Amino acid sequence: MAFTLQIGEKASDFKLPATDGNAYRLSDFNDAKVLVVFFTCNHCPFVVGSDEVTRSTAEKFADQGVKFVGINANSVRTKPDDSFEVMVERMEEKKFPWTYLRDESQEVAKAYGALRTPHFYVFDEKRQLIYTGRGLDNPRESEKATINDLENALSEHLAGEKITTPLTNPLGCNVKWDGEDEHWMPQEACDLV
């Protein structure tokens, strides 16, 4: 079995605490026509470098029923800056247009097969996976990016078209798995394409 969710597979449920003081389940986003779940964090230069592009993508499609949910699953033992407290501070400072959840147990990251930060999963109205992988082809230096695969996938899907590139390799830092070296990845977590 593949480590990462495959195109056509259903979104895995979760119940996780958010920086706004609430806990959220997958069903709390039932009103979203399209749901973008992405694994992210506070410190990774690939996340920090592309957060504003992710913001503009979220804002661009918000009125078409697209919602974004960020999940931070990184071990704080590996990266103390990925603590829930820093998540709250970051959201207060940046006011990102998404719900930011903490996956302390890393069970949700494992269920989705998150490889890197950021790693995007786009689900249609039935919550079937229609795109997974990177947002940009250069998330660390977004000003040098030439392709926004996430935006392309959303545009094509919302226009009723087939997604040209439904699968890309996420670009970023490894998810920081608890008890492992910071560069460790599960053996079955090879590149997607």
Side-chain angles (χ1 to χ4, degrees):
M1 187 179 128
F3 180 75
T4 299
L5 279 180
Q6 303 292 291
I7 298 300
E9 288 188 322
K10 288 270 196 185
S12 292
D13 198 9
F14 51 76
K15 184 180 180 186
L16 297 171
T19 55
D20 65 7
N22 298 311
Y24 290 87
R25 292 185 168 281
L26 185 64
S27 59
D28 290 318
F29 304 97
N30 279 351
D31 61 335
K33 186 175 177 184
V34 176
L35 185 65
V36 179
V37 175
F38 67 108
F39 289 83
T40 185
C41 65
N42 299 325
H43 81 280
C44 170
F46 294 88
V47 168
V48 174
S50 60
D51 265 342
E52 289 307 318
V53 177
T54 305
R55 180 201 299 274
S56 64
T57 301
E59 290 172 347
K60 177 178 180 177
F61 294 102
D63 64 353
Q64 294 180 66
V66 179
K67 288 196 173 175
F68 278 62
V69 177
I71 300 176
N72 178 2
N74 278 358
S75 169
V76 292
R77 283 191 273 209
T78 310
K79 289 291 179 188
D81 283 351
D82 281 325
S83 70
F84 187 74
E85 293 73 27
V86 177
M87 289 171 61
V88 171
E89 288 167 16
R90 198 152 188 271
M91 285 300 275
E92 284 173 357
E93 178 195 343
K94 301 286 187 180
K95 298 189 176 16
F96 290 123
W98 51 75
T99 305
Y100 195 13
L101 306 175
R102 178 69 181 141
D103 178 20
E104 191 77 37
S105 72
Q106 303 188 317
E107 285 175 20
V108 178
K110 287 174 185 158
Y112 280 76
L115 297 172
R116 301 186 181 278
T117 54
H119 187 167
F120 294 88
Y121 297 80
V122 179
F123 297 95
D124 65 11
E125 212 158 4
K126 295 177 183 171
R127 296 302 174 256
Q128 290 179 304
L129 187 66
I130 56 172
Y131 172 81
T132 186
R134 68 191 187 188
L136 303 171
D137 62 346
N138 191 344
R140 190 171 187 149
E141 299 173 284
S142 58
E143 69 283 356
K144 295 181 181 176
T146 58
I147 301 168
N148 187 330
D149 289 288
L150 176 62
E151 194 165 299
N152 291 346
L154 289 168
S155 295
E156 289 173 343
H157 177 70
L158 291 165
E161 299 167 10
K162 189 171 188 267
I163 294 174
T164 308
T165 309
L167 191 63
T168 59
N169 285 321
L171 299 173
C173 302
N174 290 20
V175 170
K176 307 307 180 208
W177 300 103
D178 201 35
E180 301 289 351
D181 176 81
E182 69 175 276
H183 300 293
W184 181 86
M185 286 183 105
Q187 190 173 357
E188 64 276 25
C190 55
D191 284 348
L192 303 182
V193 290

